[in-house]
Amino acid sequence: MPSNATDKTLAWSSDNTNVATVNSSGLITAISAGSATITCKANDGSGVSATCSVTVGSPNLKGDVNGDGEVNGTDLVALTNMILGRSAKTSAADVSGDGDVNGTDYVMLVNIILGK
């Protein structure tokens, strides 16, 4: 736009390519958790541009009880402590999704860790 513009191309960029990249068509790809600003600038020399903020969240790994981005034995310890009342229960500890943190979640977490 406008229809009589001699150069209708756009330049896309990301200020944080460790978080999100953007290709020449404006397609944004999430790379890792964090925030980035995507800028679209007219190549016609007019200085017209627009920006948008993008926030990439951490993946929600089923069984990542302690929220460190991994599912392993430390999650099992954290879940055990929650079941025994040694620490506050969290929604991440409800591995089964039944609304309660209990032995069912423990068994499911063991199976996730073992790849079953």
Side-chain angles (χ1 to χ4, degrees), residues 7-116:
D7 187 349
K8 296 181 183 182
T9 61
L10 302 169
W12 293 90
S13 63
S14 169
D15 74 339
N16 192 347
T17 56
N18 292 323
V19 171
T21 60
V22 59
N23 70 14
S24 61
S25 300
L27 177 67
I28 299 169
T29 302
I31 304 298
S32 65
S35 297
T37 299
I38 305 299
T39 302
C40 177
K41 183 177 178 182
N43 282 330
D44 63 0
S46 65
V48 174
S49 66
T51 62
C52 72
S53 296
V54 175
T55 302
V56 178
S58 297
N60 184 8
L61 297 174
K62 186 173 186 175
D64 183 14
V65 176
N66 64 3
D68 67 356
E70 298 180 35
V71 179
N72 54 33
T74 59
D75 296 296
L76 207 51
V77 171
L79 179 59
T80 301
N81 285 326
M82 289 177 198
I83 292 170
L84 295 175
R86 295 178 184 154
S87 61
K89 294 179 181 181
T90 66
S91 59
D94 183 15
V95 181
S96 68
D98 66 358
D100 192 18
V101 177
N102 55 34
T104 301
D105 300 298
Y106 187 90
V107 171
M108 288 186 74
L109 183 55
V110 168
N111 285 328
I112 290 170
I113 293 170
L114 295 176
K116 294 183 179 184

